[in-house]
Amino acid sequence: MITQWGEKLEQEMVLQEYPRPQMMRESYLNLNGIWSYAITESADPPAVWDGAILVPFSPECPLSGVEKTLFSNQYLWYQRMFLLPEAFNKGRVLLHFGAVDQEAVVYLNHQEVGRHTGGYLPFCIDITEYLTERNLLEVRVQDNTDEGYHTHGKQRHKRGGMWYTPQSGIWQTVWMESVPETYIKRLIITPKVDKQCVEIGAEVVGKTRPVAHFHGADYPLPARIPAEDLAFWTPENPELYSFTVTCEEDTVLSYFAYRSFSVEKDEHGVPRLFLNGTPYFHNGLLDQGYWPDGLYTPPSDAAMVFDIQTAKDMGFNMLRKHMKIEPLRWYYHCDRIGMLVWQDAPCGANVYNPLVISAPLVTGKHRQDNAYTAFGRENKAGREEFRQEVRDMVRTLYNCPCIAMWVPFNEGWGQFDAEKVVEDILKIDRSRLIDHASGWHDQKIGDIQSLHVYFRKYRFRPDKLGRAVVLSEFGGYNHQVFDHTFSKKDFGYKKLESPLQLENALQELYEDQIVPAWEDGLSAAVYTQLTDVEDELNGLITYDRKVVKIPPARMAAIVKVE
């Protein structure tokens, strides 16, 4: 299967957009395109290269031009030459990888310059001291997928049903920038509606104090920008404000939004999700972020926009990004289009015990998550790595206005010490909500009770602990559109034979279950799901994005709850 964007892909122009929209510099060199690759059985550099690969597409996906699976006992090597443009080097040269799955070692001119473990987050290496006139860049990758404790999301070597084709290696943009010796390393942007301001801070390499410039005024950082003239950001009015920050010779362009998320009681005393001090129903879709031609990698910037805009056109105001962290441009488009995001941490564990993971769906009973062996989390290094990755995820996406909720665990997949993981998040970010255990294995903490309901009618019941209640997964109705399917399998939770049957079933589902629950106190509903994914045919859009199963305007009328 291939998408319309994959069909039009130009290899020399693949994913050229600036990859970090909230911290843009004029200095930018994109390294996407044709690289050499080899898959080897040893850690030594290959004597002979296997051929060409289109970066940043993983070798398992069609758009890479390779379509080979990397196994846990193998090494994936990349190589390319580059020259720095004239006057590019302003003092320091930084090499950026958007994401590499899972363990990467980076070499420049045959010298190791950096390492990174974790398949979902960006990393940066200062390569200044290793540069020559002509430069040979090489990357060595290992990926255990689900054969270890590293985070792997919904990838499995034995794919099928709700588990998907694995992907490996470089899967987000590789790029370079040059900065002065003193430069801005990171911005920290925190809207504070309760204090009527937006706080802006920065981490700097060097000792000079940076300055923010906004609406003709200068604000030495850290600073508070007053909010008297700022409009609230909402999905209906996604107002963004541009500003710059300078530090000696370094300048970055960024943006912020003015908004707040909270759990409060409405006028009837019902705890609900609030946006900007007002009750706001999160009407959402589960979004896996998989592509038939690019797997984890969207084939283009326009492809990302299509998913987000189509979801909005269908009447949804929220996407739950499931078991995956997207390129930063995806969050930028959510920011500007107006789409709330619940961000999952990709899961990882040694093994999933179905009796532990699925039992609450039948019994309603939840286990304490310090039973490490039962949850496949007996490996201490794996637990520590996951906690660090959650912290890094929160820091990486902290400035994105669209993110309303962090979701560290889903249905007990690799769950452990949820209360401690929540404390980790709160030390970094108290401006957003946290769903500590989406679905089940509720540890009776936090402000959210999170439920998954597929095989029975949902009826709202207030949480006994007084938390806001969210239906974080439901539905999953499958309808097969012939000639637009990945395989002959048809996985889902209720099979409908025609678009009209699907439409009528969804109408009944929302009218009979979701709207009454919202009236009684339900704060959010996340329908499964935005698109078909491989064997799963329960999307509102086919996997190749060529058929929207129900016209968006009709879907918007069905899901309207107010």
Side-chain angles (χ1 to χ4, degrees):
M1 300 178 74
I2 193 165
T3 65
Q4 60 175 302
W5 306 281
E7 291 170 349
K8 301 173 184 176
L9 190 70
E10 298 179 37
Q11 292 187 345
E12 66 276 12
M13 294 298 294
V14 61
L15 294 166
Q16 294 294 300
E17 294 82 4
Y18 198 95
R20 192 185 56 196
Q22 276 192 300
M23 196 170 159
M24 296 181 65
R25 289 187 171 94
E26 290 185 358
S27 170
Y28 175 48
L29 179 61
N30 189 298
L31 296 180
N32 292 342
I34 297 295
W35 295 41
S36 297
Y37 89 95
I39 295 176
T40 65
E41 304 299 322
S42 77
D44 297 327
V48 179
W49 293 84
D50 293 347
I53 185 170
L54 182 59
V55 170
F57 298 105
S58 69
E60 290 86 351
C61 75
L63 290 181
S64 70
V66 176
E67 296 191 75
K68 294 179 182 178
T69 298
L70 181 70
F71 294 101
S72 56
N73 61 342
Q74 296 178 319
Y75 297 84
L76 169 62
W77 284 85
Y78 295 85
Q79 184 187 81
R80 69 156 290 166
M81 295 290 298
F82 70 86
L83 301 172
L84 292 182
E86 187 176 349
F88 179 82
N89 191 346
K90 300 177 181 178
R92 313 302 302 177
V93 176
L94 307 180
L95 172 63
H96 294 270
F97 293 85
V100 182
D101 191 13
Q102 290 169 321
E103 300 176 81
V105 183
V106 182
Y107 304 88
L108 187 63
N109 300 320
H110 305 294
Q111 298 184 71
E112 181 180 325
V113 295
R115 292 175 175 240
H116 184 265
T117 297
Y120 295 90
L121 292 167
F123 61 98
C124 172
I125 303 170
D126 187 333
I127 59 172
T128 310
E129 309 304 329
Y130 303 91
L131 289 167
T132 60
E133 184 176 350
R134 288 175 54 84
N135 296 281
L136 180 68
L137 176 60
E138 295 175 299
V139 183
R140 189 189 75 198
V141 176
Q142 279 187 284
D143 186 0
N144 294 328
T145 307
D146 57 324
E147 298 177 4
Y149 59 73
H150 295 311
T151 53
H152 51 79
K154 298 190 76 173
Q155 306 176 73
R156 277 195 178 179
H157 279 306
K158 295 182 180 179
R159 59 151 301 278
M162 57 184 283
W163 305 101
Y164 311 143
T165 298
Q167 68 97 64
S168 307
I170 297 170
W171 67 273
Q172 289 190 31
T173 292
V174 185
W175 60 288
M176 297 169 63
E177 64 181 339
S178 187
V179 295
E181 295 290 341
T182 295
Y183 67 93
I184 301 153
K185 185 176 181 180
R186 177 176 175 240
L187 298 178
I188 306 100
I189 306 167
T190 310
K192 294 210 168 180
V193 171
D194 57 335
K195 297 182 179 178
Q196 297 185 308
C197 69
V198 176
E199 292 185 351
I200 299 178
E203 294 179 9
V204 172
V205 175
K207 297 182 180 180
T208 303
R209 187 178 183 184
V211 179
H213 311 277
F214 177 69
H215 282 188
D218 297 337
Y219 299 89
L221 300 184
R224 288 182 170 180
I225 294 178
E228 287 90 346
D229 299 324
L230 302 181
F232 282 128
W233 183 97
T234 68
E236 295 74 26
N237 181 40
E239 188 73 42
L240 301 177
Y241 295 95
S242 298
F243 69 100
T244 59
V245 178
T246 58
C247 186
E248 293 188 5
E249 297 178 357
D250 192 25
T251 299
V252 297
L253 173 65
S254 188
Y255 66 86
F256 66 79
Y258 186 54
R259 53 95 184 101
S260 68
F261 304 111
S262 59
V263 171
E264 302 176 40
K265 290 183 178 180
D266 66 13
E267 58 184 354
H268 303 294
V270 177
R272 292 186 184 268
L273 303 185
F274 275 53
L275 173 62
N276 306 324
T278 302
Y280 191 89
F281 186 76
H282 291 213
N283 202 346
L285 285 168
L286 199 68
D287 180 9
Q288 314 280 358
Y290 258 77
W291 301 84
D293 45 8
L295 294 180
Y296 266 6
T297 309
S300 74
D301 209 55
M304 287 188 266
V305 173
F306 172 84
D307 274 11
I308 299 164
Q309 187 63 57
T310 303
K312 189 166 187 179
D313 292 344
M314 290 190 292
F316 297 97
N317 58 31
M318 178 264 284
L319 293 173
R320 179 181 165 202
K321 182 52 64 176
H322 196 37
M323 292 294 135
K324 183 192 178 193
I325 300 169
E326 291 286 0
L328 289 173
R329 289 197 64 83
W330 185 87
Y331 300 94
Y332 161 67
H333 291 308
C334 288
D335 291 339
R336 68 173 188 83
I337 291 171
M339 183 63 71
L340 298 171
V341 174
W342 292 10
Q343 179 61 55
D344 285 15
C347 63
N350 292 350
V351 65
Y352 295 150
N353 183 342
L355 294 178
V356 174
I357 300 306
S358 302
L361 185 61
V362 179
T363 66
K365 295 181 180 180
H366 301 249
R367 296 191 59 162
Q368 291 296 308
D369 61 10
N370 58 0
Y372 299 145
T373 300
F375 284 92
R377 279 298 195 179
E378 60 270 27
N379 188 291
K380 183 179 179 181
R383 298 196 302 271
E384 292 175 350
E385 181 179 282
F386 179 85
R387 288 181 66 176
Q388 183 60 52
E389 287 186 354
V390 170
R391 292 191 289 266
D392 291 343
M393 175 187 75
V394 174
R395 290 190 183 98
T396 298
L397 302 179
Y398 182 86
N399 294 336
C400 302
C402 60
I403 294 181
M405 185 98 70
W406 302 113
V407 186
F409 295 111
N410 175 80
E411 295 182 353
W413 302 350
Q415 183 173 326
F416 69 96
D417 296 340
E419 188 167 9
K420 292 180 181 179
V421 174
V422 167
E423 290 172 358
D424 290 344
I425 296 172
L426 290 174
K427 288 177 183 177
I428 303 169
D429 184 9
R430 290 186 172 273
S431 68
R432 294 178 173 92
L433 306 171
I434 303 173
D435 176 359
H436 80 281
S438 184
W440 42 82
H441 293 301
D442 185 355
Q443 303 301 296
K444 311 298 183 185
I445 62 174
D447 298 320
I448 306 293
Q449 183 192 33
S450 181
L451 307 172
H452 292 183
V453 177
Y454 284 114
F455 304 113
R456 59 179 171 83
K457 285 190 175 182
Y458 174 67
R459 292 292 182 259
F460 176 80
R461 292 186 181 89
D463 176 48
K464 294 179 180 179
L465 300 180
R467 299 173 294 181
V469 179
V470 302
L471 186 57
S472 44
E473 288 186 32
F474 75 101
Y477 293 178
N478 44 313
H479 167 58
Q480 183 179 30
V481 181
F482 293 101
D483 296 327
H484 296 277
T485 58
F486 177 83
S487 70
K488 294 181 180 180
K489 296 181 179 180
D490 187 354
F491 181 89
Y493 303 117
K494 184 176 182 178
K495 187 173 182 178
L496 288 311
E497 297 294 342
S498 70
L500 182 59
Q501 287 182 356
L502 176 63
E503 180 179 324
N504 290 339
L506 289 170
Q507 178 82 47
E508 181 180 352
L509 176 64
Y510 275 83
E511 284 185 353
D512 182 53
Q513 299 181 44
I514 304 306
V515 172
W518 165 71
E519 292 171 345
D520 290 340
L522 184 67
S523 284
V526 183
Y527 180 80
T528 302
Q529 60 186 331
L530 176 61
T531 72
D532 294 345
V533 187
E534 300 195 351
D535 297 346
E536 287 189 281
L537 302 184
N538 49 13
L540 298 177
I541 309 170
T542 57
Y543 192 25
D544 58 9
R545 274 54 167 196
K546 292 182 178 179
V547 178
V548 180
K549 298 180 184 180
I550 297 177
R554 177 65 186 127
M555 195 68 208
I558 290 172
V559 306
K560 187 175 182 180
V561 297
E562 296 181 48

